[in-house]
């Protein structure tokens, strides 16, 4: 099988100074008042609805975007909706300096590419085309032509589940 | 080669040696879903495996309705009913809206004992580290998969060994120790790690205190914090199960990714300020700044045991809740409620002006107890104070004693020594 290379356009989540936001928690991503929603299509509009400055994310983000963030992305609850809401918007996946463990699992299980890139700070501008090579565990910024390494590396199980199209499609 | 506790636990489950970094398919003893996430689990399960698909073992599965109990929105009520229907058709036990917090039920019912594996749609399932079990909060896809197969994929985490030294001040408790530790490591400070806690100040904690500490592993983004059960915890657990109860200990030559010695000296009452559980300062300092409060909350999986209510109660014995301030109490489980009742605390709390609610998760998630309005200030014993989590107000996290002393004074206040 050919290498799995996923390409999308960067949508960085940043503070006023332009630095990637750390500790974006699951209540900022998908607030607990919407937890009763089980339909993917209804989840989309609430994505990042509780993150200051990004309340209108659902209207602004274009399909094919990478959600790009700082440290400890997705800290907090186990809600799958915090992954599903991005999928519902057609986002490609999540690239962050680090990702909270439960969030990372949920992304992997939903076959949403997610990678932890320690050297991400300052390396991505809005709209940059980023290509994630799932097997090599590398992220290429096609504008700057830099290659960054995922660390910890993307695990074999993540690749396997991605290839199957999600945990629930695994044999 | 020597093994850490989590390596031993996983190896025992698999019947073959496992080490940090290995990705394994880990069998689960208990798989649960709450009202939060439960309906999504059912939906995923049915879509993936079909309407007539069987679960791996009906006895190993529980539904626990603790988030929104009883349901206060039609959406939650419908989701709970979806779970009930699914459970009835398959002979699965439902701990309904009258039971309490799922993770605490597993401990009370002797299902969570050292060495077992459990998952649930609750990010604080690693609370089971308090009894030396491997609990993991997972999303509804993982749980649906485990309903069907009885296992989940698991990357064995590297372990950080933490030796804590220090002594609790007479007006401090496990929550103050916990907040001091969260402050030390920070929100993402133990990201993806297992933790083993040692040291006198940890080892002398009773089970409720261990639950408090283990519960906030999530707030440091750890996979789990294991506090190896000592004799008194093993005795307590032994009274709840017929299975043998034995602590898993790390090998002397176990390999740790990091060993941290944390000397906390005299641990005084601590408080986490909005909007991060790691924004911790001594209550003494915050109190000096004069923080007026509107409401207090005692409960949650972190501080919802009888001992927690007793600790708060002691601060209210000779004085009630200040005028214009409210105190909300939510016992973790029906058993805890029964203890508060039989020990006579309910009468005293009532006379002090407190509101006593039914058991459950209370203000966390979209619960009906403890929501705050714009500008409202809450002091809570729960574990998270993210912006907007418990409404539009500002939430401080503290011990039951600090919460009770603060609602009594109407402002954030250092509790009196009661032990």
């Amino acid at each position: 099988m050919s290498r799995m290379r996923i390409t999308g356009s960067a949508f960085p989540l940043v503070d006023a100074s332009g630095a990637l936001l750390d500790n974006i928690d699951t209540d900022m991503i998908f607030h607990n008042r919407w937890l009763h929603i089980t339909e993917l299509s209804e989840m989309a509009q609430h994505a990042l609805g509780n993150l200051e400055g990004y309340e209108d994310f659902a209207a602004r983000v274009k399909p094919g975007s990478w959600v790009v963030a700082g440290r400890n992305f997705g800290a907090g609850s186990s809600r799958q909706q915090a992954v599903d809401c991005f999928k519902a918007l057609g986002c490609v996946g999540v690239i962050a300096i680090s990702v909270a463990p439960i969030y990372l699992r949920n992304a992997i299980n939903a076959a949403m590419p997610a990678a932890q890139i320690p050297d991400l700070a300052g390396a991505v501008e809005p709209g940059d085309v980023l290509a994630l090579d799932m097997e090599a565990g590398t992220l290429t910024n096609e504008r700057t032509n830099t290659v960054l390494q995922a660390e910890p590396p993307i695990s074999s199980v993540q690749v396997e589940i991605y290839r199957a199209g999600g945990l629930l499609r695994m044999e | 080669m020597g093994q850490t506790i989590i390596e031993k636990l996983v190896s025992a489950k698999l019947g073959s040696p496992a080490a940090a970094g290995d990705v394994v398919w880990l069998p689960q003893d208990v798989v649960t879903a709450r009202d939060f996430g439960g309906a999504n689990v059912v939906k995923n399960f049915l879509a993936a495996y079909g309407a007539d698909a069987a679960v791996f073992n009906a006895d190993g599965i529980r539904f626990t309705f603790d988030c929104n109990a009883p349901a206060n929105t039609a959406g939650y009520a419908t989701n709970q009913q979806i779970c009930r229907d699914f459970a009835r058709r398959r002979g699965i036990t439902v701990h309904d809206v009258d039971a309490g917090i799922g993770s605490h039920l597993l401990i009370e019912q002797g299902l969570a004992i050292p060495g077992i594996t459990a998952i649930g749609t609750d990010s604080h399932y690693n609370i089971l580290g308090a009894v030396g079990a491997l609990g993991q909060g997972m999303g509804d896809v993982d749980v649906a998969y485990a309903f069907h197969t009885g296992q989940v994929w698991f990357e064995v985490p590297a372990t950080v060994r933490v030796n804590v030294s220090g002594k609790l001040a007479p007006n401090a408790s496990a929550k103050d120790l916990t907040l001091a530790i969260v402050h030390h490591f920070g929100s993402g400070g133990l990201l993806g790690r297992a933790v083993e806690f040692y040291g006198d100040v940890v080892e002398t904690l009773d089970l409720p205190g261990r639950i408090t500490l283990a519960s906030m592993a999530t707030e440091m983004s750890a996979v789990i914090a294991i506090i190896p059960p000592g004799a008194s915890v093993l005795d307590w657990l032994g009274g709840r199960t017929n299975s043998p109860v034995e602590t898993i200990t790390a090998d002397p030559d176990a390999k740790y990714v990091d060993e941290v010695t944390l000397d906390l000296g005299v641990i005084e009452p601590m408080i986490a300020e909005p909007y991060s559980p790691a924004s911790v300062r001594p209550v003494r300092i915050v109190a000096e700044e004069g923080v007026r409060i509107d409401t207090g909350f005692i409960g949650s999986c972190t501080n919802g045991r009888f001992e927690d209510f007793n600790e708060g109660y002691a601060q209210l014995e000779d004085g009630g809740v200040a005028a214009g301030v409210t105190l909300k109490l939510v016992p973790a489980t029906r058993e805890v409620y029964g203890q508060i009742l039989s020990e006579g605390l309910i009468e005293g709390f009532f006379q002090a002006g407190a509101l006593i609610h039914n058991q459950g998760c209370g203000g966390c998630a979209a619960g009906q107890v403890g929501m705050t309005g714009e500008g409202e200030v809450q002091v809570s014993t729960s574990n998270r104070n993210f912006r907007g989590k418990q409404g539009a107000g500002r939430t401080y996290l503290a011990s039951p004693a600090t919460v009770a002393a603060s609602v009594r004074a109407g402002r954030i206040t250092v509790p009196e020594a009661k032990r």
Side-chain angles (χ1 to χ4, degrees):
Chain A
M1 181 177 270
S2 67
R3 294 205 134 184
M4 289 183 294
R5 193 177 158 91
I6 300 130
T7 304
S9 165
F11 193 115
L13 306 175
V14 294
D15 65 15
S17 74
L20 291 173
L21 285 166
D22 294 334
N23 300 316
I24 295 176
D25 64 62
T26 51
D27 272 304
M28 296 172 181
I29 298 170
F30 193 89
H31 194 265
N32 60 41
R33 67 179 173 276
W34 309 117
L35 289 181
H36 60 277
I37 296 174
T38 59
E39 288 297 331
L40 200 65
S41 58
E42 289 174 44
M43 292 175 195
Q45 59 185 309
H46 302 300
L48 294 176
N50 191 40
L51 177 62
E52 222 175 338
Y54 290 93
E55 293 88 346
D56 57 350
F57 175 81
R60 280 163 56 195
V61 72
K62 294 189 178 69
S65 295
W66 285 108
V67 177
V68 179
R71 289 181 182 76
N72 200 25
F73 183 81
S77 116
S78 60
R79 66 196 65 164
Q80 192 79 37
Q81 290 103 320
V83 169
D84 291 345
C85 66
F86 293 129
K87 290 189 73 176
L89 286 168
C91 291
V92 175
V94 170
I95 304 287
I97 296 175
S98 61
V99 180
I102 300 176
Y103 191 91
L104 185 62
R105 281 195 79 87
N106 288 346
I108 291 169
N109 291 338
M112 182 174 87
Q116 308 184 81
I117 311 285
D119 297 330
L120 195 58
V124 177
E125 294 293 327
D128 283 358
V129 175
L130 308 178
L132 178 69
D133 186 320
M134 292 280 284
E135 285 164 318
T138 54
L139 183 76
T140 305
N141 184 331
E142 295 190 349
R143 177 180 64 87
T144 59
N145 211 19
T146 45
V147 180
L148 303 171
Q149 202 68 38
E151 182 58 45
I154 292 173
S155 71
S156 56
V157 74
Q158 180 170 357
V159 174
E160 204 181 321
I161 292 170
Y162 181 74
R163 203 170 259 153
L167 180 67
L168 296 176
R169 294 188 179 182
M170 299 272 285
E171 286 305 312
Chain B
M1 197 178 72
Q3 289 188 306
T4 64
I5 294 175
I6 197 156
E7 288 171 335
K8 262 193 189 174
L9 190 155
V10 171
S11 300
K13 272 279 153 248
L14 296 173
S16 62
D22 291 352
V23 177
V24 301
W25 291 93
L26 187 63
Q28 298 297 311
D29 294 297
V30 189
V31 181
T32 74
R34 322 160 80 179
D35 43 353
F36 155 58
N40 305 58
V41 171
V42 169
K43 211 167 161 173
N44 283 330
F45 180 94
L46 297 175
Y49 306 118
D52 301 320
V55 293
F56 81 103
N57 168 18
D59 290 337
I61 298 178
R62 305 286 173 110
F63 283 96
T64 65
F65 298 162
D66 47 19
C67 261
N68 204 277
N72 67 345
T73 68
Y76 257 109
T78 299
N79 286 351
Q80 289 170 354
Q81 195 58 25
I82 287 169
C83 297
R84 286 188 195 101
D85 285 344
F86 180 88
R88 282 173 190 151
R89 284 164 202 264
R90 290 168 178 80
I92 295 167
T93 301
V94 176
H95 298 290
D96 219 299
V97 296
D98 55 355
I101 302 176
S103 59
H104 284 239
L105 292 172
L106 295 194
I107 295 173
E108 287 178 357
Q109 298 188 0
L111 293 168
I113 55 173
I116 67 106
T117 50
I119 63 165
T121 56
D122 174 351
S123 62
H124 287 106
Y125 244 46
N126 47 16
I127 208 166
L128 302 181
V131 295
L134 176 53
Q136 291 287 278
M138 292 194 182
D140 50 60
V141 172
D142 263 316
V143 175
Y145 183 81
F147 267 28
H148 190 58
T149 64
Q151 62 179 14
V152 293
W153 63 271
F154 186 69
E155 185 169 350
V156 183
T159 299
V160 178
R161 183 185 173 102
V162 182
N163 278 296
V164 189
S165 64
K167 192 175 175 340
L168 288 172
N171 60 346
S173 64
K175 184 60 164 292
D176 303 301
L177 167 67
T178 302
L179 290 173
I181 291 172
V182 174
H183 179 244
H184 175 84
F185 287 105
S187 290
L190 293 169
L191 190 132
R193 304 301 193 203
V195 184
E196 293 174 9
F197 276 116
Y198 300 97
D200 276 355
V201 68
V202 172
E203 286 159 24
T204 52
L205 290 175
D206 59 7
L207 181 56
R210 288 163 184 250
I211 286 173
T212 302
L213 175 55
S215 76
M216 290 192 72
T218 307
E219 278 53 60
M220 298 176 271
S221 286
V223 171
I224 191 161
I226 295 173
I227 308 165
S232 71
V233 173
L234 292 176
D235 277 354
W236 191 94
L237 295 172
R240 304 268 169 157
T241 177
N242 294 323
S243 304
V245 179
E246 209 174 315
T247 293
I248 297 174
T249 54
D251 290 327
D253 58 342
K255 197 161 166 257
Y256 295 96
V257 65
D258 201 3
E259 296 195 38
V260 179
T261 300
L262 202 53
D263 184 4
L264 297 173
V266 176
I267 300 152
E268 61 177 315
M270 305 296 275
I271 193 162
E273 298 179 282
Y275 295 98
S276 165
S279 296
V280 175
R281 289 196 293 164
V283 179
R284 177 175 50 83
I285 306 283
V286 176
E288 278 169 11
E289 293 168 5
V291 181
R292 194 191 57 78
I293 61 165
D294 298 289
T295 190
F297 174 87
I298 300 178
S300 84
C301 58
T302 294
N303 281 114
R305 303 303 304 171
F306 170 75
E307 290 76 0
D308 297 310
F309 291 98
N310 206 28
E311 180 187 314
Y313 186 83
Q315 301 292 325
L316 292 167
E317 266 178 328
D318 50 356
V321 177
V325 176
T326 57
L327 172 61
K328 298 149 187 164
L329 309 176
V330 179
T333 63
R334 184 175 159 80
E335 179 176 318
V336 173
Y337 198 117
Q339 286 173 288
I340 297 170
L341 184 64
S342 63
E343 296 288 330
L345 269 58
I346 287 194
E347 170 75 19
F349 273 130
F350 179 81
Q351 296 300 341
L355 263 168
I356 303 137
H357 299 270
N358 62 287
Q359 54 273 19
C361 293
C364 302
Q368 56 271 65
V369 180
M371 291 289 125
T372 55
E374 183 81 45
E376 191 173 350
V377 179
Q378 169 176 246
V379 190
S380 168
T381 64
S382 79
N383 41 53
R384 289 186 190 139
N385 57 351
F386 301 151
R387 187 189 295 274
K389 177 162 176 71
Q390 288 147 334
R394 290 166 60 81
T395 295
Y396 290 76
L397 307 176
S399 72
T402 299
V403 169
S406 299
V407 294
R408 188 181 157 182
R411 58 192 157 71
I412 288 172
T413 300
V414 179
E416 291 170 26
K418 294 285 183 184
R419 283 185 288 120

